[in-house]
Amino acid sequence: MVHVAFAEESYSPHVNRSHTTNVYWGDTHVHTALSSDALIFGTRLTPDDAYRFAKGEKIRAASGEEVRLRRPLDFLIVSDHAENMGVIARIAAGDEALLATQAGKRTAEALNYPVSLLEALNADTDDLLNAFNAATLMAIKADQGLVKGLGHADYGIDERFCRSVWKEVIESAERHNDPGRFTTFSGYEWTVAAGGHRNVIFADGPELTSQVVPFSAFDSSDPEDLWAYLNDYEERSGGQVFAIPHNGNLSGNRMFALTTRRGEPLTAAYARRRSRWEPLYEVTQIKGHGETHPLISPNDEFAADEIFRWGITKSQPDSKKQAKRPADEKEQTEGPVERRPVPVNSYARSALMLGLGQ
């Protein structure tokens, strides 16, 4: 009796609380042929292929090789880009309505170009990439006055088209969901070129997720508007949804900026909203890790690992050309050297330090 009383009055709030002890492995960031960039890079695999691979089945990769995971995953979210989701895949399949648009014609040319975008990007010089861009991607931009990439071109799609593709995404997730063995979640990526990307993940089934269509950068490039969409979904449906930001390393010091997208100072209310809708942060993926950088953590011997060096943004401290320049050439450069800003607002570790200082 004394022992029970002691436990109930313990200073530790966790004495009578049970904790989850199982660890589950999965992936929250997977693109398929429904994403414009993935298809242009050569991906032809579908969401069904992604789920089968995650479950441990053997599939044929884009390289033509048969591949299989050593250990199946426990869960998967296929998070294709909301912007023009499924458009280029349908152009590749010969969709007449899309091919009738100027952007559709240019995209078909890009898909049939003798050199792939991936080959052009991996070349030792920029000649192949310049030729590819001139014939395809840049031509689409010129046609439409775009400052953003292929995924943001105007193909004349409407809400009916978006709903049809979103329905495919939901149905694919449902086909492969196997409670207790393998869990799928419907989701997508909200992609803003400057400021970071977010993977949106729904915890609900098709009866709720089918009530909405993905909120994309076409709707707004302000994350606060995305949070409003998430809040509206939960209030209207009673479901659950959240977002996971990523690629702050390519955000141009905007991912963890000390001002809002509108340029206003951060407030406690803003911090609470962001924490509510973005409780997690993705620290690594194919376009480099987002935890820290040698300029932020000079004494961390692992800070330089997996840095993305293609220099997508002007504020990115590393670039493909810089990485290829010989050391002696750098030392012999005359005149002032352009200094990239320290990316203090781009990485998670510096964001934690900035937060503590507020």
Side-chain angles (χ1 to χ4, degrees):
M1 186 69 177
V2 174
H3 176 73
V4 173
F6 176 80
E8 291 178 348
E9 298 173 2
S10 171
Y11 67 90
S12 173
H14 302 294
V15 167
N16 296 316
R17 184 181 301 172
S18 60
H19 294 277
T20 300
T21 56
N22 293 339
V23 177
Y24 298 103
W25 301 93
D27 200 330
T28 62
H29 193 167
V30 173
H31 293 318
T32 72
L34 292 181
S35 288
S36 301
D37 56 353
L39 194 142
I40 286 292
F41 269 87
T43 296
R44 296 296 183 271
L45 300 179
T46 66
D48 283 321
D49 293 324
Y51 288 124
R52 290 196 299 108
F53 180 68
K55 291 191 295 184
E57 296 182 29
K58 182 169 58 177
I59 67 169
R60 190 170 297 278
S63 63
E65 298 175 309
E66 288 190 328
V67 293
R68 185 177 185 178
L69 287 177
R70 182 174 60 183
R71 178 193 184 281
L73 299 181
D74 299 309
F75 65 89
L76 186 72
I77 297 99
V78 172
S79 52
D80 282 305
H81 296 286
E83 297 74 26
N84 286 330
M85 183 189 290
V87 170
I88 298 184
R90 293 195 181 181
I91 289 174
D95 187 288
E96 294 183 359
L98 291 171
L99 285 169
T101 66
Q102 187 67 23
K105 294 173 184 176
R106 292 290 194 185
T107 301
E109 293 174 8
L111 295 175
N112 294 322
Y113 196 72
V115 176
S116 72
L117 177 57
L118 186 59
E119 290 173 319
L121 286 169
N122 286 329
D124 290 334
T125 70
D126 291 334
D127 293 342
L128 278 178
L129 182 59
N130 291 337
F132 183 95
N133 282 336
T136 58
L137 304 186
M138 294 301 111
I140 295 173
K141 289 185 178 184
D143 288 340
Q144 304 198 349
L146 293 175
V147 294
K148 298 178 181 178
L150 188 64
H152 293 78
D154 183 4
Y155 295 91
I157 61 175
D158 55 16
E159 184 176 329
R160 180 186 299 179
F161 179 94
C162 295
R163 283 195 178 278
S164 70
V165 177
W166 181 233
K167 183 172 182 286
E168 292 178 18
V169 172
I170 294 171
E171 290 177 347
S172 178
E174 286 301 302
R175 275 194 297 274
H176 296 275
N177 191 49
D178 187 4
R181 294 176 59 86
F182 180 74
T183 302
T184 64
F185 298 88
S186 294
Y188 67 89
E189 179 177 328
W190 177 79
T191 311
V192 176
H197 309 171
R198 271 84 170 165
N199 287 334
V200 176
I201 301 170
F202 296 87
D204 310 302
E207 67 282 355
L208 298 185
T209 54
S210 61
Q211 296 178 19
V212 296
V213 293
F215 184 88
S216 77
F218 293 151
D219 298 304
S220 174
S221 60
D222 190 332
E224 291 189 75
D225 292 332
L226 174 65
W227 304 339
Y229 163 86
L230 303 180
N231 183 72
D232 184 67
Y233 169 80
E234 289 201 352
E235 288 188 346
R236 287 174 178 269
S237 70
Q240 291 181 295
V241 63
F242 69 101
I244 303 179
H246 63 272
N247 275 143
N249 58 315
L250 303 180
S251 70
N253 264 336
R254 293 184 179 91
M255 175 61 80
F256 301 109
L258 297 180
T259 57
T260 68
R261 185 78 178 183
R262 303 180 184 92
E264 300 167 350
L266 300 189
T267 64
Y270 176 96
R272 284 192 294 269
R273 283 199 305 277
R274 182 165 189 177
S275 178
R276 167 67 177 84
W277 299 113
E278 299 179 2
L280 302 175
Y281 183 68
E282 179 184 296
V283 294
T284 187
Q285 60 130 290
I286 192 172
K287 286 184 285 189
H289 74 73
E291 181 185 349
T292 192
H293 188 279
L295 293 176
I296 297 170
S297 307
N299 297 322
D300 186 339
E301 60 185 300
F302 298 107
D305 287 350
E306 300 295 332
I307 288 180
F308 188 72
R309 297 187 182 277
W310 279 348
I312 286 180
T313 63
K314 292 181 179 179
S315 62
Q316 177 69 6
D318 312 282
S319 72
K320 187 178 180 183
K321 289 183 178 179
Q322 286 177 333
K324 289 183 176 294
R325 284 175 60 193
D328 57 346
E329 179 185 337
K330 294 179 183 178
E331 294 172 359
Q332 294 173 11
T333 301
E334 296 181 0
V337 178
E338 180 185 359
R339 298 293 181 185
R340 299 287 189 180
V342 177
V344 292
N345 303 109
S346 295
Y347 289 84
R349 192 178 298 182
S350 57
L352 292 173
M353 293 187 289
L354 288 170
L356 291 172
Q358 295 302 301

